[in-house]
Amino acid sequence: MDRGQNTGGLMSSAGLIRYFDSEDSNAILINPKTVIATGVMLGVVVQLLTFVS
Amino acid sequence: MGWKEAAEPVLTRMPAVKRPEGHVPFKRKLAWTAGILVLYFFLTNIEILGAAGGQDLFGEFRAILAGSQGSLLQVGIGPIVTASIVMQLLGGANLLGLDTDDPRDQVLYQGLQKLLVVVMTALTALPMVFAGGFLPAQDQLVLGGLEFVGSQVQVLMFLQIFAGGVLLLYMDEVVSKWGVGSGIGLFIVAGVSQRLVSGLISPTPQGFFYSWYQILFTDEVAVGSVLTGDGLFVLLSQDGGQLLALFTTVLIFGIVVYAESVRVEIPLSHARVKGARGRFPVKLIYASVLPMILVRALQANVQFIGQIMFTLGPDREAGPIILFGQELPWLGVYDQSQPVSGLFYYVSPIYSPDDWMWWTGEITAEVWMVLIRVAFDLTFMIVGGAVFAIFWVETTDMGPEATAKQIQNSGMQIPGFRQNVGVIEKVMERYIPQVTVIGGALVGLLAVMANMLGTIGSVTGTGLLLAVSITYKLYEEIAEEQMMEMHPMMRQMFGKE
C-alpha cells in the first residue's frame, strides 16, 4: 500500500493525465511499439492518399 | 455507488499501454521519448486529406494547445486539457466518490479519464469540420475509383482528426510509462520552442534578427532618432526592434527559474534512525504552472463557443452574432473572426501589446472597453490561477493530508513534534494552502503581464511559463534518473523497483 501511494502521487504531478499502477486484467493492453507504428502508418497512408487524389 | 457498477464493464476495458516489466534503462527511456517527439513532429506536418485551407479555431491558443492547424494533430492537446478540467472539477468537488488509494477506483478513474478525452476529441473535432470556415472541405475528392462529395469528405476529415486526437492520448501514455516526463509536457515544450526559435531566426519581419537587419542595414524600418519618443518606441515595439518582447521573454525565463528555487523547507528527522535528516520543500510554485493551462483552456473554450455562434449565422466577414434570426450585438460583434465588442470581446484574453496599447492608434475599441478587458483578464487569470492551483494540489495528492501521510509512511517526523499524522498535517496546513494560492495567483499575473508586453515569436506568456517550468522539471527528473543509474541503491530509496 505504501509503495502504491507514492508512485501514484509522483506520477500524477508530471502530467495532466494520471496513470496508476493498478491495472484491470480485463483491460486491452497495447504495446508501445504498436502506438508508434500506428502513428507512422496513419501519417504515411494519409500522405500517400493525398498524392493519389 | 450506482454509477460505478454501471460503468465498470466499459471503464475497465479501456485500452491501455502496457507497463514496462521491471526497470527501463535511462537510455531506453530517452529513446522512447525521442521517438514520440519525432512522431509528433511528423504528424504535425501531414495535412488532412480533403481540407482546403481554413482559419484556426484555436487562434492564439495554439501556442499552448500544441498540434497544428490543418494537420492530423489539428485538435492538439485541447481535448486532453478539457477532459482534465472536467476531472479536476469533479474530483476537486469530490462528486465522483472515487478513492484514489483504492486500486479498483484507480482503474475506474483511469478509464473515465480516457473515455472523457475520447468524447472531448469528438466534440472538438465536430465543430471544426462541420461548422463554418475553420476547416473547409474540398468540394470533391477522388481516391482511385472512389469519389467523395460534400459531407462525405467532411466525414473523412473528421475521422482523420479524431484518429490524430486519440493517437495523441496514447502517445502521452507511452511517454508517461516508458519515457521521461509526460507526453503533454513534451508536446507543449516542442510547440513553444519551435515558435520561439522561428520567432528569433525567421527571415520575415516577425523574426527578431531579421527585423534588426532591416533596422541596421536597410531602410525598410525607419527608426529616426533614438532620442525621440517615436524612435525609441519603434525599437521597443513588436513591429520594430522587438526589444520589449526580448526583454519580457528573458525576464520570464529568469523569474520562473528563480521561483522554482524559492521554497519553504520543513525539516524532517527519522523517528528510528538518529541523524537521518531530510527536508520537505514547499515550493513557491508548489502546484507548478500546469493549472495555468487549465485556466487558459477555459478561456479558449469560451472563445470557441463565441466563434461557433458567429459562424452559425449567415456567412460574412464582420458583424454581430445572429441566432434564430436575431442580432445579438451585446453577445459579440466579430470582425475577421476576432471579437471587437460585446461579451466575447471583454472575456477574450490579451494576446499581445496590439490588443491594449490604445495610444498607438492601432486599436479600434474605446479606451474604457480596453480597460475592462484588461481588468477582466487579470482578475480571471489571478483568481483562476489560485483556484485551479488548489484543485490541482488536492487531486494530485500534494495537499496537507496526503503529504502528511507520505511523510509518516516514510518513517519521518518533524523534530520537536509528536510523531503523528494529524500533527504533521497541522504543520503542513500552515504552509501548503497559502503557498499554493500565492503561487497560483503569481503565475496568473505573470502570464498576463508577459502577454501584455509581448513575447518573441508570440509564444504567449502562458506558453513560455509552461515551457520553462516543464523543461526545469524534466531536467530535475533526468538528473534523478542519472543518479539512479549510477547508484542502483538509490532506486530503492526513491521507491522504484
Side-chain angles (χ1 to χ4, degrees):
Chain A
M1 181 196 166
D2 190 357
R3 198 168 54 85
Q5 251 179 14
N6 261 335
T7 40
L10 282 176
M11 285 295 292
S12 58
S13 54
L16 286 168
I17 300 253
R18 302 182 72 178
Y19 301 106
F20 297 100
D21 270 350
S22 44
E23 247 147 34
D24 200 89
S25 48
N26 288 331
I28 304 155
L29 291 179
I30 309 171
N31 193 308
K33 279 180 190 147
T34 318
V35 175
I36 293 195
T38 316
V40 173
M41 284 273 287
L42 180 72
V44 169
V45 166
V46 169
Q47 192 63 56
L48 281 180
L49 287 177
T50 310
F51 286 140
V52 171
S53 69
Chain B
M1 288 297 278
W3 76 268
K4 281 200 218 171
E5 278 74 31
E8 195 174 343
V10 180
L11 296 186
T12 53
R13 281 184 180 78
M14 292 303 281
V17 172
K18 208 164 60 183
R19 266 189 186 283
E21 287 158 11
H23 176 67
V24 183
F26 181 58
K27 271 188 186 156
R28 188 80 58 77
K29 280 191 178 181
L30 274 188
W32 279 116
T33 315
I36 292 290
L37 194 60
V38 171
L39 179 60
Y40 168 81
F41 277 126
F42 170 66
L43 289 177
T44 52
N45 281 303
I46 305 286
E47 279 176 30
I48 301 169
L49 183 62
Q55 195 153 40
D56 200 350
L57 174 63
F58 283 175
E60 309 280 340
F61 293 102
R62 185 54 84 182
I64 48 170
L65 293 182
S68 92
Q69 162 74 12
S71 80
L72 283 178
L73 299 184
Q74 165 82 19
V75 291
I77 59 166
I80 299 182
V81 176
T82 313
S84 179
I85 295 178
V86 177
M87 288 304 276
Q88 293 278 320
L89 292 178
L90 290 177
N94 211 7
L95 289 174
L96 291 173
L98 288 175
D99 173 16
T100 45
D101 289 337
D102 178 5
R104 182 173 154 268
D105 281 7
Q106 288 182 351
V107 172
L108 289 181
Y109 187 97
Q110 282 185 136
L112 184 62
Q113 185 172 253
K114 212 162 265 178
L115 189 67
L116 259 179
V117 174
V118 174
V119 171
M120 289 299 169
T121 309
L123 285 184
T124 319
L126 275 174
M128 275 179 167
V129 177
F130 294 100
F134 303 119
L135 209 59
Q138 288 166 10
D139 292 334
Q140 62 165 16
L141 186 70
V142 184
L143 293 176
L146 290 170
E147 192 181 323
F148 297 90
V149 281
S151 58
Q152 287 170 329
V153 183
Q154 287 184 318
V155 172
L156 208 62
M157 282 164 59
F158 171 77
L159 288 178
Q160 293 171 65
I161 299 175
F162 182 72
V166 174
L167 195 66
L168 213 53
L169 170 68
Y170 283 99
M171 281 160 71
D172 168 62
E173 197 170 344
V174 171
V175 176
S176 296
K177 287 180 175 171
W178 294 75
V180 189
S182 81
I184 296 161
L186 194 69
F187 304 144
I188 296 173
V189 173
V192 172
S193 315
Q194 199 183 16
R195 273 168 177 255
L196 210 56
V197 172
S198 72
L200 277 175
I201 62 173
S202 102
T204 60
Q206 279 87 42
F208 178 78
F209 291 126
Y210 185 76
S211 55
W212 271 93
Y213 165 77
Q214 281 186 321
I215 290 171
L216 295 177
F217 300 111
T218 69
D219 294 329
E220 281 169 74
V221 179
V223 178
S225 171
V226 184
L227 296 176
T228 62
D230 283 347
L232 205 60
F233 186 78
V234 171
L235 286 188
L236 288 175
S237 77
Q238 204 81 0
D239 312 315
Q242 302 192 30
L243 281 183
L244 198 59
L246 182 72
F247 172 74
T248 322
T249 311
V250 174
L251 188 74
I252 294 286
F253 256 93
I255 290 179
V256 174
V257 174
Y258 175 71
E260 284 283 348
S261 67
V262 177
R263 60 187 73 184
V264 180
E265 287 184 332
I266 297 167
L268 297 172
S269 64
H270 206 279
R272 301 262 171 76
V273 189
K274 277 250 168 76
R277 289 183 178 278
R279 289 198 194 99
F280 182 84
V282 181
K283 287 184 180 175
L284 175 59
I285 314 186
Y286 186 64
S288 89
V289 188
L290 273 169
M292 216 61 240
I293 200 174
L294 303 181
V295 187
R296 278 294 189 210
L298 213 56
Q299 286 180 318
N301 280 322
V302 171
Q303 291 301 314
F304 300 163
I305 294 171
Q307 298 250 357
I308 291 165
M309 275 181 170
F310 177 68
T311 51
L312 283 182
D315 195 18
R316 68 233 132 99
E317 282 281 289
I321 290 178
I322 297 175
L323 285 181
F324 309 113
Q326 264 191 321
E327 286 198 7
L328 302 169
W330 58 271
L331 207 54
V333 179
Y334 281 76
D335 188 9
Q336 288 166 356
S337 81
Q338 289 295 326
V340 287
S341 79
L343 184 68
F344 283 110
Y345 172 77
Y346 296 121
V347 298
S348 68
I350 307 280
Y351 306 114
S352 68
D354 294 343
D355 285 340
W356 69 282
M357 289 191 179
W358 60 83
W359 59 85
T360 59
E362 281 180 35
I363 295 174
T364 46
E366 301 283 335
V367 176
W368 61 269
M369 286 167 72
V370 174
L371 287 178
I372 291 180
R373 185 176 166 195
V374 171
F376 195 89
D377 195 23
L378 268 174
T379 321
F380 193 82
M381 287 292 277
I382 292 174
V383 175
V387 169
F388 272 94
I390 296 170
F391 277 142
W392 186 260
V393 162
E394 277 307 319
T395 49
T396 54
D397 289 337
M398 289 162 76
E401 201 188 328
T403 43
K405 246 193 236 166
Q406 277 173 26
I407 292 172
Q408 178 80 5
N409 283 341
S410 67
M412 303 294 264
Q413 68 177 100
I414 301 170
F417 291 89
R418 231 163 1 111
Q419 194 193 7
N420 174 299
V421 183
V423 173
I424 302 179
E425 195 186 325
K426 275 259 161 57
V427 178
M428 290 295 175
E429 260 170 17
R430 259 188 248 161
Y431 298 103
I432 291 181
Q434 287 86 334
V435 170
T436 308
V437 169
I438 295 171
L442 181 78
V443 169
L445 180 70
L446 269 182
V448 178
M449 295 305 278
N451 269 9
M452 288 175 79
L453 297 177
T455 43
I456 294 279
S458 313
V459 291
T460 72
T462 319
L464 200 57
L465 280 169
L466 281 165
V468 180
S469 78
I470 290 169
T471 314
Y472 194 88
K473 279 250 155 58
L474 214 56
Y475 158 74
E476 282 183 335
E477 205 163 308
I478 289 174
E480 188 188 291
E481 284 283 341
Q482 267 188 326
M483 194 167 67
M484 285 198 279
E485 285 291 301
M486 283 193 278
H487 311 283
M489 277 287 285
M490 289 292 218
R491 235 177 278 152
Q492 287 174 342
M493 269 179 63
F494 282 97
K496 292 175 184 170
E497 60 260 74

Short mmCIF file of all heavy atoms in Angstrom, two decimals, chain B residues 262-307:
data_model
loop_
_atom_site.label_atom_id
_atom_site.label_comp_id
_atom_site.label_asym_id
_atom_site.label_seq_id
_atom_site.Cartn_x
_atom_site.Cartn_y
_atom_site.Cartn_z
N VAL B 262 12.61 29.08 -4.97
CA VAL B 262 12.07 29.70 -3.76
C VAL B 262 11.16 28.69 -3.06
O VAL B 262 10.22 28.18 -3.66
CB VAL B 262 11.25 30.97 -4.11
CG1 VAL B 262 10.62 31.55 -2.86
CG2 VAL B 262 12.13 31.98 -4.78
N ARG B 263 11.45 28.39 -1.83
CA ARG B 263 10.68 27.35 -1.15
C ARG B 263 10.73 27.51 0.36
O ARG B 263 11.63 28.16 0.90
CB ARG B 263 11.22 25.99 -1.52
CG ARG B 263 12.68 25.82 -1.12
CD ARG B 263 13.26 24.54 -1.63
NE ARG B 263 13.49 24.58 -3.07
CZ ARG B 263 13.93 23.54 -3.77
NH1 ARG B 263 14.14 22.39 -3.19
NH2 ARG B 263 14.15 23.65 -5.05
N VAL B 264 9.72 26.96 1.01
CA VAL B 264 9.75 26.84 2.46
C VAL B 264 10.17 25.40 2.75
O VAL B 264 9.57 24.48 2.21
CB VAL B 264 8.35 27.08 3.07
CG1 VAL B 264 8.40 26.96 4.57
CG2 VAL B 264 7.80 28.41 2.64
N GLU B 265 11.23 25.23 3.54
CA GLU B 265 11.66 23.87 3.80
C GLU B 265 11.27 23.45 5.20
O GLU B 265 11.59 24.13 6.17
CB GLU B 265 13.18 23.76 3.59
CG GLU B 265 13.53 23.80 2.12
CD GLU B 265 15.00 23.61 1.87
OE1 GLU B 265 15.81 23.95 2.76
OE2 GLU B 265 15.34 23.11 0.78
N ILE B 266 10.56 22.36 5.28
CA ILE B 266 10.14 21.86 6.58
C ILE B 266 11.12 20.76 6.99
O ILE B 266 11.29 19.77 6.28
CB ILE B 266 8.70 21.31 6.52
CG1 ILE B 266 7.76 22.47 6.17
CG2 ILE B 266 8.31 20.67 7.84
CD1 ILE B 266 6.40 22.06 5.78
N PRO B 267 11.82 20.95 8.09
CA PRO B 267 12.83 19.97 8.49
C PRO B 267 12.18 18.66 8.92
O PRO B 267 11.11 18.66 9.51
CB PRO B 267 13.53 20.64 9.67
CG PRO B 267 12.55 21.62 10.19
CD PRO B 267 11.72 22.06 9.05
N LEU B 268 12.82 17.57 8.59
CA LEU B 268 12.32 16.25 8.98
C LEU B 268 13.45 15.45 9.60
O LEU B 268 14.61 15.63 9.24
CB LEU B 268 11.81 15.49 7.74
CG LEU B 268 10.64 16.08 6.97
CD1 LEU B 268 10.42 15.29 5.69
CD2 LEU B 268 9.39 16.07 7.82
N SER B 269 13.11 14.61 10.54
CA SER B 269 14.13 13.69 11.03
C SER B 269 13.51 12.31 11.14
O SER B 269 12.29 12.18 11.24
CB SER B 269 14.65 14.14 12.40
OG SER B 269 13.61 14.09 13.33
N HIS B 270 14.36 11.29 11.07
CA HIS B 270 13.83 9.94 11.11
C HIS B 270 13.50 9.54 12.54
O HIS B 270 14.23 9.87 13.47
CB HIS B 270 14.85 8.97 10.50
CG HIS B 270 14.22 7.75 9.93
ND1 HIS B 270 13.85 6.70 10.72
CD2 HIS B 270 13.86 7.42 8.68
CE1 HIS B 270 13.30 5.77 9.95
NE2 HIS B 270 13.29 6.19 8.70
N ALA B 271 12.38 8.86 12.70
CA ALA B 271 11.94 8.51 14.05
C ALA B 271 12.87 7.49 14.70
O ALA B 271 13.13 7.53 15.89
CB ALA B 271 10.52 7.98 14.00
N ARG B 272 13.39 6.55 13.88
CA ARG B 272 14.18 5.46 14.45
C ARG B 272 15.68 5.73 14.30
O ARG B 272 16.45 5.53 15.21
CB ARG B 272 13.84 4.15 13.74
CG ARG B 272 12.40 3.76 13.84
CD ARG B 272 12.20 2.74 14.96
NE ARG B 272 10.77 2.51 15.20
CZ ARG B 272 10.00 1.79 14.41
NH1 ARG B 272 10.52 1.24 13.32
NH2 ARG B 272 8.75 1.62 14.69
N VAL B 273 16.05 6.16 13.08
CA VAL B 273 17.46 6.31 12.78
C VAL B 273 17.93 7.71 13.19
O VAL B 273 17.54 8.69 12.58
CB VAL B 273 17.76 6.08 11.29
CG1 VAL B 273 19.25 6.03 11.03
CG2 VAL B 273 17.07 4.83 10.80
N LYS B 274 18.72 7.77 14.22
CA LYS B 274 19.24 9.07 14.67
C LYS B 274 20.17 9.65 13.60
O LYS B 274 20.97 8.93 13.02
CB LYS B 274 20.03 8.87 15.97
CG LYS B 274 19.15 8.83 17.20
CD LYS B 274 19.35 10.09 18.06
CE LYS B 274 18.28 10.22 19.13
NZ LYS B 274 18.48 9.32 20.27
N GLY B 275 20.05 10.92 13.37
CA GLY B 275 20.97 11.57 12.44
C GLY B 275 20.50 11.56 11.01
O GLY B 275 21.01 12.30 10.19
N ALA B 276 19.50 10.72 10.70
CA ALA B 276 18.97 10.73 9.34
C ALA B 276 18.01 11.91 9.22
O ALA B 276 16.97 11.94 9.85
CB ALA B 276 18.25 9.43 9.03
N ARG B 277 18.42 12.89 8.47
CA ARG B 277 17.60 14.11 8.37
C ARG B 277 17.17 14.36 6.94
O ARG B 277 17.79 13.87 6.01
CB ARG B 277 18.38 15.32 8.91
CG ARG B 277 18.54 15.27 10.40
CD ARG B 277 19.23 16.47 10.96
NE ARG B 277 19.28 16.34 12.41
CZ ARG B 277 18.28 16.66 13.21
NH1 ARG B 277 17.16 17.14 12.71
NH2 ARG B 277 18.37 16.50 14.51
N GLY B 278 16.14 15.10 6.81
CA GLY B 278 15.69 15.45 5.47
C GLY B 278 14.91 16.74 5.52
O GLY B 278 14.73 17.32 6.58
N ARG B 279 14.49 17.18 4.35
CA ARG B 279 13.67 18.39 4.31
C ARG B 279 12.53 18.15 3.35
O ARG B 279 12.69 17.50 2.32
CB ARG B 279 14.49 19.58 3.80
CG ARG B 279 15.50 20.07 4.77
CD ARG B 279 15.93 21.46 4.38
NE ARG B 279 17.13 21.83 5.08
CZ ARG B 279 18.34 21.77 4.54
NH1 ARG B 279 18.47 21.33 3.31
NH2 ARG B 279 19.39 22.13 5.22
N PHE B 280 11.38 18.69 3.71
CA PHE B 280 10.27 18.63 2.76
C PHE B 280 10.09 20.03 2.18
O PHE B 280 9.74 20.96 2.89
CB PHE B 280 8.98 18.17 3.44
CG PHE B 280 7.85 18.05 2.48
CD1 PHE B 280 7.69 16.90 1.74
CD2 PHE B 280 6.96 19.10 2.30
CE1 PHE B 280 6.66 16.79 0.83
CE2 PHE B 280 5.93 18.99 1.38
CZ PHE B 280 5.77 17.84 0.65
N PRO B 281 10.37 20.19 0.86
CA PRO B 281 10.27 21.52 0.29
C PRO B 281 8.84 21.86 -0.15
O PRO B 281 8.20 21.09 -0.84
CB PRO B 281 11.19 21.43 -0.94
CG PRO B 281 11.18 20.00 -1.32
CD PRO B 281 10.83 19.19 -0.11
N VAL B 282 8.35 23.02 0.30
CA VAL B 282 7.09 23.53 -0.23
C VAL B 282 7.49 24.68 -1.15
O VAL B 282 7.83 25.77 -0.69
CB VAL B 282 6.16 24.04 0.89
CG1 VAL B 282 4.85 24.54 0.30
CG2 VAL B 282 5.89 22.93 1.88
N LYS B 283 7.46 24.41 -2.47
CA LYS B 283 7.95 25.41 -3.41
C LYS B 283 6.94 26.53 -3.60
O LYS B 283 5.74 26.31 -3.47
CB LYS B 283 8.20 24.75 -4.77
CG LYS B 283 9.42 23.87 -4.79
CD LYS B 283 9.61 23.36 -6.20
CE LYS B 283 10.83 22.47 -6.28
NZ LYS B 283 10.96 21.87 -7.59
N LEU B 284 7.46 27.71 -3.96
CA LEU B 284 6.57 28.85 -4.21
C LEU B 284 5.58 28.49 -5.33
O LEU B 284 4.39 28.73 -5.23
CB LEU B 284 7.39 30.08 -4.61
CG LEU B 284 6.56 31.30 -5.02
CD1 LEU B 284 5.65 31.73 -3.91
CD2 LEU B 284 7.45 32.45 -5.44
N ILE B 285 6.12 27.89 -6.40
CA ILE B 285 5.21 27.45 -7.46
C ILE B 285 4.90 25.99 -7.15
O ILE B 285 5.24 25.09 -7.90
CB ILE B 285 5.84 27.61 -8.86
CG1 ILE B 285 6.49 28.97 -8.99
CG2 ILE B 285 4.78 27.44 -9.92
CD1 ILE B 285 7.01 29.27 -10.36
N TYR B 286 4.25 25.77 -6.01
CA TYR B 286 4.06 24.41 -5.49
C TYR B 286 3.25 23.58 -6.46
O TYR B 286 3.57 22.43 -6.73
CB TYR B 286 3.36 24.50 -4.14
CG TYR B 286 3.23 23.18 -3.44
CD1 TYR B 286 4.37 22.49 -3.04
CD2 TYR B 286 1.99 22.62 -3.17
CE1 TYR B 286 4.27 21.29 -2.39
CE2 TYR B 286 1.88 21.42 -2.51
CZ TYR B 286 3.02 20.75 -2.13
OH TYR B 286 2.92 19.56 -1.48
N ALA B 287 2.20 24.17 -6.99
CA ALA B 287 1.31 23.41 -7.86
C ALA B 287 1.83 23.39 -9.28
O ALA B 287 1.14 22.94 -10.18
CB ALA B 287 -0.09 23.99 -7.82
N SER B 288 3.03 23.91 -9.50
CA SER B 288 3.62 24.04 -10.84
C SER B 288 2.74 24.93 -11.70
O SER B 288 1.72 25.44 -11.27
CB SER B 288 3.87 22.69 -11.50
OG SER B 288 2.74 22.27 -12.22
N VAL B 289 3.13 25.12 -12.93
CA VAL B 289 2.42 26.06 -13.80
C VAL B 289 1.27 25.36 -14.53
O VAL B 289 0.45 26.00 -15.18
CB VAL B 289 3.41 26.71 -14.77
CG1 VAL B 289 2.76 27.82 -15.55
CG2 VAL B 289 4.58 27.29 -14.01
N LEU B 290 1.20 24.04 -14.40
CA LEU B 290 0.20 23.32 -15.19
C LEU B 290 -1.24 23.76 -14.97
O LEU B 290 -2.01 23.79 -15.92
CB LEU B 290 0.35 21.81 -14.97
CG LEU B 290 1.36 21.19 -15.92
CD1 LEU B 290 1.67 19.77 -15.51
CD2 LEU B 290 0.85 21.20 -17.35
N PRO B 291 -1.64 24.12 -13.74
CA PRO B 291 -3.02 24.59 -13.59
C PRO B 291 -3.34 25.77 -14.49
O PRO B 291 -4.49 25.97 -14.89
CB PRO B 291 -3.10 25.00 -12.12
CG PRO B 291 -2.04 24.24 -11.45
CD PRO B 291 -0.96 24.03 -12.44
N MET B 292 -2.29 26.53 -14.85
CA MET B 292 -2.48 27.70 -15.71
C MET B 292 -3.07 27.31 -17.06
O MET B 292 -3.91 28.03 -17.62
CB MET B 292 -1.09 28.31 -15.95
CG MET B 292 -1.09 29.78 -16.01
SD MET B 292 -1.66 30.41 -14.47
CE MET B 292 -3.04 31.29 -15.00
N ILE B 293 -2.64 26.18 -17.56
CA ILE B 293 -3.13 25.73 -18.86
C ILE B 293 -4.63 25.46 -18.78
O ILE B 293 -5.38 25.65 -19.73
CB ILE B 293 -2.35 24.49 -19.34
CG1 ILE B 293 -2.48 24.32 -20.83
CG2 ILE B 293 -2.78 23.24 -18.66
CD1 ILE B 293 -1.63 23.22 -21.38
N LEU B 294 -5.08 25.04 -17.60
CA LEU B 294 -6.50 24.77 -17.42
C LEU B 294 -7.30 26.06 -17.48
O LEU B 294 -8.36 26.13 -18.09
CB LEU B 294 -6.73 24.05 -16.09
CG LEU B 294 -5.97 22.75 -15.90
CD1 LEU B 294 -6.29 22.13 -14.55
CD2 LEU B 294 -6.31 21.77 -17.00
N VAL B 295 -6.77 27.12 -16.84
CA VAL B 295 -7.46 28.41 -16.86
C VAL B 295 -7.53 28.93 -18.29
O VAL B 295 -8.58 29.38 -18.75
CB VAL B 295 -6.73 29.43 -15.97
CG1 VAL B 295 -7.54 30.70 -15.86
CG2 VAL B 295 -6.47 28.86 -14.59
N ARG B 296 -6.40 28.85 -18.99
CA ARG B 296 -6.37 29.32 -20.36
C ARG B 296 -7.31 28.51 -21.24
O ARG B 296 -7.99 29.05 -22.12
CB ARG B 296 -4.94 29.22 -20.93
CG ARG B 296 -4.04 30.37 -20.54
CD ARG B 296 -4.51 31.66 -21.16
NE ARG B 296 -3.53 32.73 -20.96
CZ ARG B 296 -3.84 34.00 -20.87
NH1 ARG B 296 -5.10 34.38 -20.92
NH2 ARG B 296 -2.90 34.91 -20.72
N ALA B 297 -7.34 27.20 -21.01
CA ALA B 297 -8.20 26.36 -21.83
C ALA B 297 -9.67 26.70 -21.60
O ALA B 297 -10.48 26.64 -22.53
CB ALA B 297 -7.96 24.89 -21.51
N LEU B 298 -9.98 27.10 -20.38
CA LEU B 298 -11.35 27.52 -20.07
C LEU B 298 -11.70 28.75 -20.91
O LEU B 298 -12.76 28.82 -21.54
CB LEU B 298 -11.44 27.86 -18.58
CG LEU B 298 -12.74 27.58 -17.87
CD1 LEU B 298 -13.15 26.14 -18.02
CD2 LEU B 298 -12.62 27.94 -16.39
N GLN B 299 -10.77 29.71 -20.93
CA GLN B 299 -10.97 30.91 -21.75
C GLN B 299 -11.08 30.53 -23.22
O GLN B 299 -11.92 31.06 -23.94
CB GLN B 299 -9.79 31.87 -21.58
CG GLN B 299 -9.79 32.60 -20.26
CD GLN B 299 -8.59 33.54 -20.15
OE1 GLN B 299 -7.48 33.18 -20.54
NE2 GLN B 299 -8.83 34.73 -19.64
N ALA B 300 -10.21 29.60 -23.63
CA ALA B 300 -10.22 29.18 -25.03
C ALA B 300 -11.58 28.60 -25.40
O ALA B 300 -12.15 28.94 -26.42
CB ALA B 300 -9.12 28.15 -25.27
N ASN B 301 -12.13 27.75 -24.51
CA ASN B 301 -13.40 27.12 -24.81
C ASN B 301 -14.52 28.15 -24.92
O ASN B 301 -15.41 28.02 -25.76
CB ASN B 301 -13.73 26.07 -23.75
CG ASN B 301 -12.98 24.78 -24.00
OD1 ASN B 301 -12.82 24.38 -25.14
ND2 ASN B 301 -12.50 24.14 -22.95
N VAL B 302 -14.46 29.19 -24.07
CA VAL B 302 -15.46 30.26 -24.15
C VAL B 302 -15.35 30.94 -25.52
O VAL B 302 -16.35 31.19 -26.19
CB VAL B 302 -15.26 31.28 -23.02
CG1 VAL B 302 -16.14 32.50 -23.24
CG2 VAL B 302 -15.56 30.66 -21.67
N GLN B 303 -14.11 31.19 -25.96
CA GLN B 303 -13.91 31.84 -27.25
C GLN B 303 -14.39 30.95 -28.41
O GLN B 303 -14.95 31.45 -29.38
CB GLN B 303 -12.44 32.21 -27.46
CG GLN B 303 -11.97 33.32 -26.55
CD GLN B 303 -12.75 34.61 -26.75
OE1 GLN B 303 -13.00 35.04 -27.86
NE2 GLN B 303 -13.18 35.22 -25.65
N PHE B 304 -14.17 29.63 -28.29
CA PHE B 304 -14.64 28.72 -29.34
C PHE B 304 -16.15 28.84 -29.48
O PHE B 304 -16.69 28.89 -30.58
CB PHE B 304 -14.33 27.25 -29.03
CG PHE B 304 -12.88 26.95 -28.88
CD1 PHE B 304 -12.47 25.80 -28.26
CD2 PHE B 304 -11.92 27.83 -29.36
CE1 PHE B 304 -11.13 25.51 -28.11
CE2 PHE B 304 -10.59 27.55 -29.21
CZ PHE B 304 -10.20 26.39 -28.58
N ILE B 305 -16.83 28.87 -28.33
CA ILE B 305 -18.29 28.94 -28.36
C ILE B 305 -18.72 30.20 -29.10
O ILE B 305 -19.61 30.16 -29.95
CB ILE B 305 -18.86 28.91 -26.92
CG1 ILE B 305 -18.57 27.54 -26.29
CG2 ILE B 305 -20.36 29.19 -26.92
CD1 ILE B 305 -18.89 27.46 -24.82
N GLY B 306 -18.03 31.31 -28.81
CA GLY B 306 -18.34 32.56 -29.49
C GLY B 306 -18.13 32.43 -31.00
O GLY B 306 -19.00 32.81 -31.79
N GLN B 307 -16.98 31.87 -31.38
CA GLN B 307 -16.66 31.71 -32.80
C GLN B 307 -17.70 30.85 -33.50
O GLN B 307 -18.15 31.16 -34.61
CB GLN B 307 -15.31 31.00 -32.94
CG GLN B 307 -14.17 31.75 -32.34
CD GLN B 307 -13.24 32.28 -33.40
OE1 GLN B 307 -13.44 32.02 -34.56
NE2 GLN B 307 -12.24 33.02 -33.00
#
